[in-house]
């Protein structure tokens, strides 16, 4: 009986250790002083999380860690609200206004940034930082051959062929009530023959391979360049601005005030072209996000300390 009790005790202790070690993906056994940066599973989010983490690690004595591979902006937001993360690597004004804040879309860029900064502070005690300097908006994409064949230079030009073509789009976007397919078709005055909800990472190869006539992708994705796709501009200004910013828990800034000026050094200093190039280096050249982020920080003289 004593032997049986010993086995049960050891089993319970093992289970306790296992359970206490579980949490958000990428989050191991860290101390309460570890600064945790939350990242989506996208290439862009991982690169930006690495930039933030390496900048803090190099310029301060704080220990940092990435909470990676979170599947949606809502999960990232909840991680910050729960205190399981301190910094969200990338949030987008148009997206968070509509989803997290349940706010109507705001087309004016300055107004959108002012409103979202105010609401994040009052509702969540979080700081919505100034944009990195680029937007990650939706882009309608076709091959160069399709654009030439149908004389497509902007989204409005698709009206003459819309009823005959299949289009692939982010499965989240298709049913979004404010900036999704239904209001999109109303704004442009046409509907496609069929819209296929897809994982966003698959749309680029789908249109390049001819499985879709057109797809809706993200403007910063490096695969636009890899597949030499043509972007059709949003000539009716349907999509709201999606300025990219990090979000920081104010509890972290109160605890470590030296972080505020350090993080502000990234304000407006990553252009759309730079972000596209970094994404391309990871997605096309198969480089590690960690290495691409480090190269960016070194090249632009972000490291001032002696480490």
């Amino acid at each position: 009986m004593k032997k049986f009790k010993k086995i049960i005790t050891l089993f319970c202790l093992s289970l306790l250790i296992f359970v206490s070690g579980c949490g958000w993906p990428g989050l191991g056994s860290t101390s309460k002083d570890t600064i945790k940066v939350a990242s989506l599973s996208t290439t862009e989010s991982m690169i930006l999380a690495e930039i933030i983490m390496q900048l803090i690690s190099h310029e301060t004595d704080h220990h940092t860690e990435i909470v990676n591979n979170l599947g949606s902006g809502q999960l990232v937001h909840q991680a910050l609200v729960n205190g399981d993360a301190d910094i969200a690597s990338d949030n987008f004004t148009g997206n968070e206004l509509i989803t997290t804040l349940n706010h109507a879309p705001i087309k004016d860029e300055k107004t959108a940034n002012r409103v979202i900064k105010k609401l994040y502070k009052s509702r969540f005690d979080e700081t919505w930082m100034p944009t990195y300097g680029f937007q990650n908006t939706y882009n309608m994409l076709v091959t160069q051959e399709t654009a030439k064949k149908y004389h497509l230079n902007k989204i409005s030009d698709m009206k003459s062929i819309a009823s005959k073509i299949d289009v692939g789009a982010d499965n989240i976007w298709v049913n979004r009530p404010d900036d999704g397919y239904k209001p999109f078709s109303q704004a442009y005055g046409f509907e496609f023959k069929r819209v296929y909800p897809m994982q966003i990472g698959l749309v680029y190869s789908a249109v390049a391979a001819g499985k879709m006539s057109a797809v809706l992708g993200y403007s910063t994705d490096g695969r636009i360049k890899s597949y030499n796709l043509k972007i059709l501009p949003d000539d009716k200004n349907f999509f709201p601005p999606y300025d990219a910013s990090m979000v920081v828990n104010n509890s972290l800034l109160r605890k470590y005030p030296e972080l505020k000026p350090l993080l502000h050094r990234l304000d407006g200093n990553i252009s759309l072209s730079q972000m596209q190039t970094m994404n391309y280096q990871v997605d096309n050249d198969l480089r590690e996000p960690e290495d691409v982020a480090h190269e960016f920080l070194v090249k632009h003289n972000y490291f001032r300390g002696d480490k």
Side-chain angles (χ1 to χ4, degrees), residues 80-100:
L80 261 69
V81 169
N82 292 347
D84 293 315
D86 304 294
I87 301 173
S89 63
D90 56 339
N91 287 261
F92 307 95
T93 47
N95 189 58
E96 299 306 319
L97 272 169
I98 294 169
T99 57
T100 302

Side-chain angles (χ1 to χ4, degrees), residues 67-199:
V67 183
N68 58 20
N69 289 322
L70 299 184
S72 69
Q74 284 68 42
L75 276 177
V76 171
H77 171 69
Q78 201 57 50
L80 261 69
V81 169
N82 292 347
D84 293 315
D86 304 294
I87 301 173
S89 63
D90 56 339
N91 287 261
F92 307 95
T93 47
N95 189 58
E96 299 306 319
L97 272 169
I98 294 169
T99 57
T100 302
L101 297 171
N102 198 27
H103 195 285
I106 298 175
K107 295 293 182 73
D108 180 73
E109 187 175 359
K110 287 185 179 179
T111 304
N113 278 285
R114 177 172 52 78
V115 169
I116 204 165
K117 183 176 181 179
K118 181 180 179 182
L119 291 178
Y120 262 69
K121 181 180 180 181
S122 62
R123 292 192 190 182
F124 310 122
D125 192 26
E126 295 172 359
T127 294
W128 185 280
M129 297 287 282
T131 175
Y132 289 111
F134 68 91
Q135 286 191 30
N136 190 356
T137 187
Y138 289 109
N139 276 156
M140 191 63 74
L141 307 165
V142 295
T143 63
Q144 299 292 339
E145 291 77 14
T146 298
K148 187 177 181 180
K149 180 179 180 180
Y150 296 110
H151 307 289
L152 304 178
N153 292 300
K154 55 186 184 297
I155 293 179
S156 290
D157 295 336
M158 301 179 81
K159 187 171 185 175
S160 60
I161 61 168
S163 63
K164 305 172 186 174
I165 64 172
D166 295 332
V167 173
D170 182 356
N171 50 24
I172 296 174
W173 176 78
V174 173
N175 295 312
R176 280 167 64 129
D178 297 301
D179 60 348
Y181 176 57
K182 186 175 180 179
F184 171 89
S185 62
Q186 291 171 342
Y188 275 95
F190 59 77
E191 293 184 2
F192 299 113
K193 178 183 177 182
R194 201 169 300 165
V195 175
Y196 288 91
M198 304 175 66
Q199 276 190 309

